[in-house]
PDB file of all heavy atoms in Angstrom:
ATOM      1  N   LEU A   1      -1.659   2.970  -5.813  1.00  0.00           N
ATOM      2  CA  LEU A   1      -1.866   4.410  -5.914  1.00  0.00           C
ATOM      3  C   LEU A   1      -3.405   4.662  -5.940  1.00  0.00           C
ATOM      4  O   LEU A   1      -3.884   5.628  -5.405  1.00  0.00           O
ATOM      5  CB  LEU A   1      -1.239   4.950  -7.180  1.00  0.00           C
ATOM      6  CG  LEU A   1       0.157   5.298  -7.109  1.00  0.00           C
ATOM      7  CD1 LEU A   1       0.776   5.709  -8.475  1.00  0.00           C
ATOM      8  CD2 LEU A   1       0.475   6.506  -6.104  1.00  0.00           C
ATOM      9  N   ILE A   2      -4.139   3.734  -6.552  1.00  0.00           N
ATOM     10  CA  ILE A   2      -5.577   3.959  -6.648  1.00  0.00           C
ATOM     11  C   ILE A   2      -6.283   3.447  -5.386  1.00  0.00           C
ATOM     12  O   ILE A   2      -7.207   4.131  -4.891  1.00  0.00           O
ATOM     13  CB  ILE A   2      -6.114   3.286  -7.854  1.00  0.00           C
ATOM     14  CG1 ILE A   2      -5.546   3.815  -9.187  1.00  0.00           C
ATOM     15  CG2 ILE A   2      -7.686   3.281  -7.964  1.00  0.00           C
ATOM     16  CD1 ILE A   2      -5.742   2.974 -10.371  1.00  0.00           C
ATOM     17  N   SER A   3      -5.855   2.411  -4.808  1.00  0.00           N
ATOM     18  CA  SER A   3      -6.672   1.703  -3.725  1.00  0.00           C
ATOM     19  C   SER A   3      -6.080   2.006  -2.356  1.00  0.00           C
ATOM     20  O   SER A   3      -6.745   1.766  -1.417  1.00  0.00           O
ATOM     21  CB  SER A   3      -6.692   0.241  -4.026  1.00  0.00           C
ATOM     22  OG  SER A   3      -7.303  -0.088  -5.232  1.00  0.00           O
ATOM     23  N   GLY A   4      -4.806   2.406  -2.270  1.00  0.00           N
ATOM     24  CA  GLY A   4      -4.225   2.604  -0.934  1.00  0.00           C
ATOM     25  C   GLY A   4      -4.282   1.378  -0.087  1.00  0.00           C
ATOM     26  O   GLY A   4      -3.840   0.233  -0.587  1.00  0.00           O
ATOM     27  N   GLU A   5      -4.701   1.460   1.158  1.00  0.00           N
ATOM     28  CA  GLU A   5      -4.686   0.296   2.106  1.00  0.00           C
ATOM     29  C   GLU A   5      -5.613  -0.859   1.588  1.00  0.00           C
ATOM     30  O   GLU A   5      -5.408  -2.013   2.010  1.00  0.00           O
ATOM     31  CB  GLU A   5      -5.107   0.762   3.458  1.00  0.00           C
ATOM     32  CG  GLU A   5      -4.035   1.715   4.097  1.00  0.00           C
ATOM     33  CD  GLU A   5      -4.402   2.042   5.502  1.00  0.00           C
ATOM     34  OE1 GLU A   5      -5.507   1.642   5.976  1.00  0.00           O
ATOM     35  OE2 GLU A   5      -3.677   2.857   6.180  1.00  0.00           O
ATOM     36  N   ARG A   6      -6.515  -0.572   0.725  1.00  0.00           N
ATOM     37  CA  ARG A   6      -7.421  -1.591   0.251  1.00  0.00           C
ATOM     38  C   ARG A   6      -6.659  -2.613  -0.630  1.00  0.00           C
ATOM     39  O   ARG A   6      -7.253  -3.696  -0.964  1.00  0.00           O
ATOM     40  CB  ARG A   6      -8.530  -1.028  -0.574  1.00  0.00           C
ATOM     41  CG  ARG A   6      -9.480  -0.068   0.243  1.00  0.00           C
ATOM     42  CD  ARG A   6     -10.682   0.303  -0.572  1.00  0.00           C
ATOM     43  NE  ARG A   6     -10.408   0.973  -1.852  1.00  0.00           N
ATOM     44  CZ  ARG A   6     -10.080   2.240  -1.960  1.00  0.00           C
ATOM     45  NH1 ARG A   6      -9.997   3.039  -0.978  1.00  0.00           N
ATOM     46  NH2 ARG A   6      -9.796   2.777  -3.210  1.00  0.00           N
ATOM     47  N   ALA A   7      -5.445  -2.325  -1.035  1.00  0.00           N
ATOM     48  CA  ALA A   7      -4.643  -3.182  -1.848  1.00  0.00           C
ATOM     49  C   ALA A   7      -3.931  -4.255  -1.088  1.00  0.00           C
ATOM     50  O   ALA A   7      -3.205  -5.062  -1.700  1.00  0.00           O
ATOM     51  CB  ALA A   7      -3.727  -2.410  -2.786  1.00  0.00           C
ATOM     52  N   VAL A   8      -3.913  -4.207   0.225  1.00  0.00           N
ATOM     53  CA  VAL A   8      -3.091  -5.063   1.118  1.00  0.00           C
ATOM     54  C   VAL A   8      -3.320  -6.520   0.729  1.00  0.00           C
ATOM     55  O   VAL A   8      -2.351  -7.316   0.613  1.00  0.00           O
ATOM     56  CB  VAL A   8      -3.348  -4.767   2.574  1.00  0.00           C
ATOM     57  CG1 VAL A   8      -2.727  -5.835   3.480  1.00  0.00           C
ATOM     58  CG2 VAL A   8      -2.828  -3.453   2.955  1.00  0.00           C
ATOM     59  N   GLY A   9      -4.493  -6.989   0.627  1.00  0.00           N
ATOM     60  CA  GLY A   9      -4.856  -8.335   0.329  1.00  0.00           C
ATOM     61  C   GLY A   9      -4.269  -8.788  -0.982  1.00  0.00           C
ATOM     62  O   GLY A   9      -3.770  -9.897  -1.130  1.00  0.00           O
ATOM     63  N   LEU A  10      -4.411  -7.898  -1.996  1.00  0.00           N
ATOM     64  CA  LEU A  10      -3.841  -8.292  -3.300  1.00  0.00           C
ATOM     65  C   LEU A  10      -2.347  -8.347  -3.258  1.00  0.00           C
ATOM     66  O   LEU A  10      -1.702  -9.252  -3.895  1.00  0.00           O
ATOM     67  CB  LEU A  10      -4.318  -7.241  -4.327  1.00  0.00           C
ATOM     68  CG  LEU A  10      -4.011  -7.517  -5.863  1.00  0.00           C
ATOM     69  CD1 LEU A  10      -4.844  -8.768  -6.198  1.00  0.00           C
ATOM     70  CD2 LEU A  10      -4.443  -6.375  -6.689  1.00  0.00           C
ATOM     71  N   LEU A  11      -1.697  -7.427  -2.521  1.00  0.00           N
ATOM     72  CA  LEU A  11      -0.231  -7.478  -2.320  1.00  0.00           C
ATOM     73  C   LEU A  11       0.193  -8.763  -1.781  1.00  0.00           C
ATOM     74  O   LEU A  11       1.104  -9.499  -2.297  1.00  0.00           O
ATOM     75  CB  LEU A  11       0.233  -6.349  -1.468  1.00  0.00           C
ATOM     76  CG  LEU A  11       0.184  -4.893  -2.011  1.00  0.00           C
ATOM     77  CD1 LEU A  11       0.331  -3.801  -0.949  1.00  0.00           C
ATOM     78  CD2 LEU A  11       1.265  -4.770  -3.142  1.00  0.00           C
ATOM     79  N   LYS A  12      -0.520  -9.274  -0.735  1.00  0.00           N
ATOM     80  CA  LYS A  12      -0.108 -10.540  -0.177  1.00  0.00           C
ATOM     81  C   LYS A  12      -0.263 -11.704  -1.142  1.00  0.00           C
ATOM     82  O   LYS A  12       0.548 -12.663  -1.113  1.00  0.00           O
ATOM     83  CB  LYS A  12      -0.998 -10.784   1.109  1.00  0.00           C
ATOM     84  CG  LYS A  12      -0.698  -9.876   2.245  1.00  0.00           C
ATOM     85  CD  LYS A  12      -1.579 -10.159   3.525  1.00  0.00           C
ATOM     86  CE  LYS A  12      -1.194  -9.311   4.657  1.00  0.00           C
ATOM     87  NZ  LYS A  12      -2.137  -9.587   5.863  1.00  0.00           N
ATOM     88  N   GLY A  13      -1.331 -11.609  -2.014  1.00  0.00           N
ATOM     89  CA  GLY A  13      -1.525 -12.631  -2.905  1.00  0.00           C
ATOM     90  C   GLY A  13      -0.401 -12.764  -3.942  1.00  0.00           C
ATOM     91  O   GLY A  13      -0.200 -13.851  -4.533  1.00  0.00           O
ATOM     92  N   TYR A  14       0.354 -11.739  -4.184  1.00  0.00           N
ATOM     93  CA  TYR A  14       1.438 -11.721  -5.099  1.00  0.00           C
ATOM     94  C   TYR A  14       2.795 -11.711  -4.364  1.00  0.00           C
ATOM     95  O   TYR A  14       3.816 -11.471  -5.069  1.00  0.00           O
ATOM     96  CB  TYR A  14       1.354 -10.453  -6.021  1.00  0.00           C
ATOM     97  CG  TYR A  14       0.372 -10.620  -7.152  1.00  0.00           C
ATOM     98  CD1 TYR A  14      -0.895  -9.931  -7.098  1.00  0.00           C
ATOM     99  CD2 TYR A  14       0.652 -11.358  -8.273  1.00  0.00           C
ATOM    100  CE1 TYR A  14      -1.780 -10.071  -8.160  1.00  0.00           C
ATOM    101  CE2 TYR A  14      -0.331 -11.472  -9.328  1.00  0.00           C
ATOM    102  CZ  TYR A  14      -1.489 -10.797  -9.301  1.00  0.00           C
ATOM    103  OH  TYR A  14      -2.403 -10.921 -10.295  1.00  0.00           O
ATOM    104  N   ALA A  15       2.752 -11.996  -3.055  1.00  0.00           N
ATOM    105  CA  ALA A  15       4.016 -11.940  -2.254  1.00  0.00           C
ATOM    106  C   ALA A  15       4.728 -10.687  -2.442  1.00  0.00           C
ATOM    107  O   ALA A  15       5.984 -10.608  -2.530  1.00  0.00           O
ATOM    108  CB  ALA A  15       4.885 -13.165  -2.635  1.00  0.00           C
ATOM    109  N   ALA A  16       3.997  -9.559  -2.438  1.00  0.00           N
ATOM    110  CA  ALA A  16       4.507  -8.234  -2.630  1.00  0.00           C
ATOM    111  C   ALA A  16       4.334  -7.358  -1.396  1.00  0.00           C
ATOM    112  O   ALA A  16       3.472  -7.649  -0.515  1.00  0.00           O
ATOM    113  CB  ALA A  16       3.874  -7.563  -3.812  1.00  0.00           C
ATOM    114  N   SER A  17       5.102  -6.283  -1.300  1.00  0.00           N
ATOM    115  CA  SER A  17       4.983  -5.349  -0.153  1.00  0.00           C
ATOM    116  C   SER A  17       5.105  -4.000  -0.768  1.00  0.00           C
ATOM    117  O   SER A  17       5.543  -3.752  -1.879  1.00  0.00           O
ATOM    118  CB  SER A  17       6.091  -5.532   0.827  1.00  0.00           C
ATOM    119  OG  SER A  17       7.424  -5.533   0.182  1.00  0.00           O
ATOM    120  N   ALA A  18       4.672  -2.925  -0.020  1.00  0.00           N
ATOM    121  CA  ALA A  18       4.565  -1.599  -0.622  1.00  0.00           C
ATOM    122  C   ALA A  18       4.801  -0.451   0.343  1.00  0.00           C
ATOM    123  O   ALA A  18       4.663  -0.631   1.499  1.00  0.00           O
ATOM    124  CB  ALA A  18       3.195  -1.354  -1.240  1.00  0.00           C
ATOM    125  N   LEU A  19       5.288   0.658  -0.184  1.00  0.00           N
ATOM    126  CA  LEU A  19       5.336   1.946   0.471  1.00  0.00           C
ATOM    127  C   LEU A  19       4.471   2.949  -0.349  1.00  0.00           C
ATOM    128  O   LEU A  19       4.586   2.915  -1.598  1.00  0.00           O
ATOM    129  CB  LEU A  19       6.764   2.468   0.536  1.00  0.00           C
ATOM    130  CG  LEU A  19       7.083   3.816   1.088  1.00  0.00           C
ATOM    131  CD1 LEU A  19       8.481   3.902   1.711  1.00  0.00           C
ATOM    132  CD2 LEU A  19       6.992   4.866  -0.083  1.00  0.00           C
ATOM    133  N   VAL A  20       3.624   3.714   0.220  1.00  0.00           N
ATOM    134  CA  VAL A  20       2.823   4.674  -0.407  1.00  0.00           C
ATOM    135  C   VAL A  20       2.853   6.006   0.299  1.00  0.00           C
ATOM    136  O   VAL A  20       2.912   6.069   1.526  1.00  0.00           O
ATOM    137  CB  VAL A  20       1.423   4.174  -0.588  1.00  0.00           C
ATOM    138  CG1 VAL A  20       0.727   3.928   0.747  1.00  0.00           C
ATOM    139  CG2 VAL A  20       0.546   5.117  -1.497  1.00  0.00           C
ATOM    140  N   VAL A  21       2.988   7.116  -0.448  1.00  0.00           N
ATOM    141  CA  VAL A  21       3.009   8.457   0.084  1.00  0.00           C
ATOM    142  C   VAL A  21       1.728   9.170  -0.269  1.00  0.00           C
ATOM    143  O   VAL A  21       1.393   9.273  -1.473  1.00  0.00           O
ATOM    144  CB  VAL A  21       4.237   9.197  -0.497  1.00  0.00           C
ATOM    145  CG1 VAL A  21       4.299  10.650   0.137  1.00  0.00           C
ATOM    146  CG2 VAL A  21       5.507   8.404  -0.214  1.00  0.00           C
ATOM    147  N   SER A  22       1.016   9.707   0.735  1.00  0.00           N
ATOM    148  CA  SER A  22      -0.172  10.421   0.441  1.00  0.00           C
ATOM    149  C   SER A  22       0.119  11.783  -0.126  1.00  0.00           C
ATOM    150  O   SER A  22       1.261  12.269  -0.121  1.00  0.00           O
ATOM    151  CB  SER A  22      -0.960  10.595   1.716  1.00  0.00           C
ATOM    152  OG  SER A  22      -0.412  11.572   2.553  1.00  0.00           O
ATOM    153  N   ALA A  23      -0.887  12.447  -0.662  1.00  0.00           N
ATOM    154  CA  ALA A  23      -0.699  13.732  -1.285  1.00  0.00           C
ATOM    155  C   ALA A  23      -0.234  14.724  -0.221  1.00  0.00           C
ATOM    156  O   ALA A  23       0.443  15.785  -0.483  1.00  0.00           O
ATOM    157  CB  ALA A  23      -1.961  14.280  -1.902  1.00  0.00           C
ATOM    158  N   ALA A  24      -0.614  14.496   1.084  1.00  0.00           N
ATOM    159  CA  ALA A  24      -0.180  15.342   2.190  1.00  0.00           C
ATOM    160  C   ALA A  24       1.220  15.130   2.690  1.00  0.00           C
ATOM    161  O   ALA A  24       1.683  15.760   3.544  1.00  0.00           O
ATOM    162  CB  ALA A  24      -1.228  15.304   3.276  1.00  0.00           C
ATOM    163  N   GLY A  25       1.808  13.981   2.176  1.00  0.00           N
ATOM    164  CA  GLY A  25       3.137  13.608   2.589  1.00  0.00           C
ATOM    165  C   GLY A  25       3.259  12.532   3.636  1.00  0.00           C
ATOM    166  O   GLY A  25       4.362  12.168   4.048  1.00  0.00           O
ATOM    167  N   ASP A  26       2.166  11.994   4.043  1.00  0.00           N
ATOM    168  CA  ASP A  26       2.172  10.821   5.013  1.00  0.00           C
ATOM    169  C   ASP A  26       2.727   9.609   4.329  1.00  0.00           C
ATOM    170  O   ASP A  26       2.290   9.220   3.211  1.00  0.00           O
ATOM    171  CB  ASP A  26       0.811  10.557   5.590  1.00  0.00           C
ATOM    172  CG  ASP A  26       0.284  11.759   6.353  1.00  0.00           C
ATOM    173  OD1 ASP A  26       1.037  12.405   7.106  1.00  0.00           O
ATOM    174  OD2 ASP A  26      -0.910  12.075   6.299  1.00  0.00           O
ATOM    175  N   VAL A  27       3.573   8.857   4.981  1.00  0.00           N
ATOM    176  CA  VAL A  27       4.178   7.643   4.435  1.00  0.00           C
ATOM    177  C   VAL A  27       3.606   6.452   5.134  1.00  0.00           C
ATOM    178  O   VAL A  27       3.616   6.333   6.395  1.00  0.00           O
ATOM    179  CB  VAL A  27       5.726   7.666   4.581  1.00  0.00           C
ATOM    180  CG1 VAL A  27       6.340   6.348   4.018  1.00  0.00           C
ATOM    181  CG2 VAL A  27       6.246   8.883   3.855  1.00  0.00           C
ATOM    182  N   HIS A  28       3.157   5.471   4.355  1.00  0.00           N
ATOM    183  CA  HIS A  28       2.569   4.199   4.904  1.00  0.00           C
ATOM    184  C   HIS A  28       3.335   3.083   4.274  1.00  0.00           C
ATOM    185  O   HIS A  28       3.611   3.026   3.062  1.00  0.00           O
ATOM    186  CB  HIS A  28       1.058   4.093   4.574  1.00  0.00           C
ATOM    187  CG  HIS A  28       0.225   5.287   4.979  1.00  0.00           C
ATOM    188  ND1 HIS A  28      -0.286   5.376   6.277  1.00  0.00           N
ATOM    189  CD2 HIS A  28      -0.100   6.390   4.333  1.00  0.00           C
ATOM    190  CE1 HIS A  28      -0.937   6.516   6.393  1.00  0.00           C
ATOM    191  NE2 HIS A  28      -0.815   7.122   5.172  1.00  0.00           N
ATOM    192  N   ILE A  29       3.686   2.084   5.066  1.00  0.00           N
ATOM    193  CA  ILE A  29       4.425   0.921   4.547  1.00  0.00           C
ATOM    194  C   ILE A  29       3.692  -0.316   5.029  1.00  0.00           C
ATOM    195  O   ILE A  29       3.063  -0.344   6.144  1.00  0.00           O
ATOM    196  CB  ILE A  29       5.860   0.860   4.973  1.00  0.00           C
ATOM    197  CG1 ILE A  29       6.071   0.929   6.555  1.00  0.00           C
ATOM    198  CG2 ILE A  29       6.661   2.070   4.359  1.00  0.00           C
ATOM    199  CD1 ILE A  29       7.476   0.790   6.923  1.00  0.00           C
ATOM    200  N   THR A  30       3.838  -1.447   4.334  1.00  0.00           N
ATOM    201  CA  THR A  30       3.281  -2.682   4.765  1.00  0.00           C
ATOM    202  C   THR A  30       4.386  -3.325   5.738  1.00  0.00           C
ATOM    203  O   THR A  30       5.473  -2.989   5.771  1.00  0.00           O
ATOM    204  CB  THR A  30       3.082  -3.604   3.576  1.00  0.00           C
ATOM    205  OG1 THR A  30       4.280  -3.810   2.864  1.00  0.00           O
ATOM    206  CG2 THR A  30       1.972  -3.087   2.654  1.00  0.00           C
ATOM    207  N   PRO A  31       3.859  -4.227   6.588  1.00  0.00           N
ATOM    208  CA  PRO A  31       4.755  -4.782   7.631  1.00  0.00           C
ATOM    209  C   PRO A  31       6.083  -5.381   7.128  1.00  0.00           C
ATOM    210  O   PRO A  31       7.028  -5.324   7.800  1.00  0.00           O
ATOM    211  CB  PRO A  31       3.863  -5.909   8.296  1.00  0.00           C
ATOM    212  CG  PRO A  31       2.487  -5.400   8.042  1.00  0.00           C
ATOM    213  CD  PRO A  31       2.494  -4.755   6.715  1.00  0.00           C
TER     214      PRO A  31
END
């Protein structure tokens, strides 16, 4: 929520994946 796409590397380090919704309603997901 704080870092957005900048968190991708950390997610990979924890074997995690994510979906995030922007305040404008755009949806972003990791591969």
Side-chain angles (χ1 to χ4, degrees):
L1 277 172
I2 296 167
S3 301
E5 294 182 0
R6 299 189 304 277
V8 169
L10 191 63
L11 288 166
K12 290 181 178 179
Y14 282 104
S17 56
L19 173 150
V20 61
V21 181
S22 74
D26 298 321
V27 178
H28 305 274
I29 60 176
T30 56

